[in-house]
Each structure stands twice: as structure tokens, then as C-alpha cells.
Amino acid sequence: MIDIKTGILGLIGYPIEHSLSPLLHNMAIKKYDLNYVYLPFAVEPGNVKQALMGLKALNFRGVNVTIPYKEKVIPYLDEMDSLAEKIGAVNTIVNENGILKGYNTDITGLKRMIEVDGNTTIKNKKALIIGAGGAAKAAVFALCLGGIKEIAIINRTAKRADEIAKIVKQYYDSVKLVTGSLDTDLYKHLLTDIDLVIDTTPVGMAPKADVAPVIELDGIKKSTLVIDLVYNPAKTTILKEAEKRNAETMNGLNMLLYQGAESFKIWTGIDINTKMWYNYILKLKKL
Ligand code: NAP
């Protein structure tokens, strides 16, 4: 029941129709019998500052931030968690008595997914990241936090891979970084000796699921874990190709659930059982 004490949570982005966050958070609010509500807000470009000021004025408890505002909200925050500051992207904002603080739970969500669901350690491993957008940046930081030894970042626009490497080097100078384009000669050679491949591109995402993967996986080791951050469809073409070569595979659904759970904890202090969300999504047939 909504009353005078109801805490307001939400999502800001543009567009936001694709998001599962309102369903997931409102389900958790109900399940844990909390006095909050989570609402979607499609904030038009040009209104980001007003939206952030509105959070304070209307005494929101917090919001998630999605595409394309993860970087654009930063100038209007009062404080930043150190990880969010390093990466320069925020997906969660909490309002502590008029002080807006930004966090990035994508990074820790992915790290948790690799370590828990991948049942593996990141420490001293070698990884190949495909793509160099926001999700790639979060992936590189997740791996560095986990103590990775080497990362190769390859992207259609090689310059963007260089830019990520430049940022990462400021904080993790012991990690060996290689960057390049989607040049077969470069990555074919890498694949024979890599422990982890993370595809951070939207290639293969519904509704355009029936497309060739961004890279060919010939030569990949059997023990390699191939992750696609896309979770709709559950098995993208790169994961199917990896399975054909007996590699381990995982999609990005648990990353989504873990980042949401961490945001929820920041706002409410409650630790969510993410299996409950997983089963809920399957039941709703949302994916
Ligand atoms: P982004 O910032 O727009 O970056 C997209 C990246 O993919 C860029 O490096 C781009 O290359 C590359 N790319 C796009 N189309 C390509 C194509 N046809 N061939 C080769 N490369 C292509 O997007 P993002 O925020 O990083 O998100 C990327 C994907 O990750 C989305 O599908 C998103 O849903 C998913 N994601 C999942 C989670 C999760 O919780 N599971 C979290 C975040 C993101 P250029 O630089 O050359 O343009």
C-alpha cells in the first residue's frame, strides 16, 4: 500500500521500454514487504539535469540509470563511489538526505557472475573482450578487480579499445593489456591461449538474433569460458558456436540480476535472493 512514508525508487534512461528492472524491483518490494515503489522514467535528452535535481526536490530514495545516461548523470552528483569514479559511469544513485551518490553495480555484478556461476577464479587468467563500449569498460574493470593477468580488447573501432586501456592503466598497471581491431590474425592467435572470452557487443541480441558472431572461435581451448552479456535470446550464436567446440558458456542474465540486487541493497539494506528473480522471469516468459 502506498502511503506518506513510501520510498520512491526508479529507473531513468531513454528509451527504457526494454528494461526488466521495474518488474524485478517491484516484485522484491512485495516479497520482502517493504514500503517502496519502483517506477520507470523515460527522461528525454536535455532533461537529465532537471531529472537529477528532481530526485532531491521530491526526496526520491534512489534510481537506476541506464542507456544513454550512465556518464551524463555524473556532473549532477554530489559524491561518487570510488569504483564508479574510476570507470566514469554510474548505474545506481542513492539519495542520502539530499546528497546524491553514484555507484556502478555492473562491475561487481559481472565479477560475481563469473566467479559464482562460472565457478572459476579470475586471478592470473587471460581474457579476450570483444567490444569497447560501456559494458566492455565494466567488464575490464571487473576482471582487474578479480586480479586478472592479461586482457586483450578487440573492437570494430580499435581506437575505443585503446581508450579503455588508457583508463585502466592508470589504476591497474600490473595487468598486461593488448588492444586491436576485429582482425582475425590477431584474435585467432589469442584464442588458443585464452581462459575467458566476453562478448560485450549487442550482436546477436533479439530481435536480430540470427546473425553470425562477431568473431570466429576456431582454435579455442575446451576449458575456455565464453560469456555473452546479451541474455535475450538465452543462447546467442556465439554461445552456440562455443558449445560446438566444447567450450563452457554463459549469458548475461545473472549479471543483470546481481547488479539489480546490489542496487536494491544500497537503497533498502536488504540482500535479495536472486534465484527468486530468475524463477520469476522464467515464469513471466519475459525472455
Ligand atoms: P555500447 O556502449 O553502445 O557499445 C557497443 C559495442 O559493440 C561497441 O564497441 C561497438 O563497436 C560494438 N558493436 C556494435 N555493433 C557491432 C557490430 N555489428 N559488429 C561489431 N561490433 C559491434 O553498448 P553497451 O552499453 O556496451 O552494451 C553492449 C551490450 O551489452 C548490449 O547488448 C547490452 O544489452 C549488453 N549489456 C548487458 C548487461 C547485463 O547486465 N547483462 C549490462 C550492460 C550491457 P564500435 O565501438 O565500433 O561502435
Side-chain angles (χ1 to χ4, degrees):
M1 192 182 64
I2 291 177
D3 64 16
I4 195 74
K5 289 190 176 159
T6 302
I8 307 168
L9 302 171
L11 169 71
I12 59 173
Y14 195 80
I16 50 166
E17 284 76 15
H18 65 279
S19 180
L20 291 173
S21 295
L23 278 173
L24 296 175
H25 287 284
N26 285 312
M27 184 267 191
I29 287 166
K30 201 170 162 196
K31 176 90 186 166
Y32 292 91
D33 197 20
L34 304 173
N35 194 1
Y36 286 94
V37 64
Y38 186 106
L39 302 165
F41 297 99
V43 175
E44 292 203 9
N47 285 343
V48 177
K49 181 179 178 182
Q50 290 89 328
L52 273 271
M53 294 305 104
L55 299 182
K56 285 190 188 189
L58 300 173
N59 200 22
F60 273 49
R61 175 60 183 150
V63 287
N64 281 131
V65 183
T66 189
I67 291 171
Y69 300 139
K70 289 185 184 184
E71 292 165 9
K72 294 203 170 74
V73 295
I74 292 175
Y76 313 114
L77 299 176
D78 302 298
E79 291 178 8
M80 293 272 277
D81 170 70
S82 66
L83 203 49
E85 190 155 29
K86 280 179 189 167
I87 192 173
V90 159
N91 77 332
T92 305
I93 298 173
V94 63
N95 180 8
E96 298 284 7
N97 302 315
I99 306 290
L100 298 183
K101 182 169 179 177
Y103 291 83
N104 189 308
T105 67
D106 285 333
I107 301 172
T108 36
L110 177 58
K111 180 172 178 284
R112 186 170 161 196
M113 182 175 88
I114 296 170
E115 292 178 337
V116 176
D117 304 291
N119 195 21
T120 185
T121 54
I122 295 170
K123 203 165 175 54
N124 290 328
K125 297 270 170 71
K126 296 179 185 177
L128 172 65
I129 308 268
I130 312 162
K137 224 199 254 181
V140 172
F141 270 83
L143 296 176
C144 288
L145 269 184
I148 194 101
K149 189 170 152 198
E150 291 183 29
I151 305 176
I153 312 167
I154 56 171
N155 191 39
R156 187 171 59 180
T157 314
K159 200 170 121 248
R160 294 187 76 193
D162 294 340
E163 283 161 11
I164 295 185
K166 213 165 135 191
I167 297 168
V168 174
K169 270 183 196 147
Q170 293 172 39
Y171 303 106
Y172 300 98
D173 61 355
S174 62
V175 178
K176 186 179 165 201
L177 290 159
V178 176
T179 56
S181 63
L182 299 174
D183 178 332
T184 322
D185 289 340
L186 167 73
Y187 71 72
K188 267 220 161 113
H189 158 72
L190 290 169
L191 278 176
T192 57
D193 187 33
I194 219 87
D195 306 294
L196 192 59
V197 174
I198 309 181
D199 187 348
T200 73
T201 71
V203 175
M205 188 164 69
K208 291 185 189 159
D210 196 16
V211 291
V214 182
I215 65 164
E216 290 166 23
L217 293 177
D218 293 335
I220 196 167
K221 287 193 297 179
K222 270 189 187 171
S223 57
T224 304
L225 172 60
V226 179
I227 298 176
D228 193 340
L229 295 193
V230 169
Y231 46 83
N232 185 15
K235 214 165 272 177
T236 53
T237 46
I238 193 169
L239 297 188
K240 286 181 188 162
E241 290 298 317
E243 275 183 359
K244 278 188 204 160
R245 291 164 178 84
N246 296 314
E248 303 291 323
T249 62
M250 196 188 289
N251 69 31
L253 180 57
N254 277 334
M255 172 181 173
L256 173 84
L257 303 185
Y258 291 149
Q259 63 79 24
E262 201 183 325
S263 302
F264 198 81
K265 184 160 187 194
I266 289 168
W267 301 319
T268 68
I270 303 284
D271 254 321
I272 285 179
N273 176 351
T274 50
K275 289 233 163 60
M276 158 192 97
W277 271 352
Y278 187 87
N279 293 333
Y280 180 60
I281 289 175
L282 293 190
K283 203 170 119 197
L284 287 177
K285 295 194 170 49
K286 280 288 171 190
L287 293 176

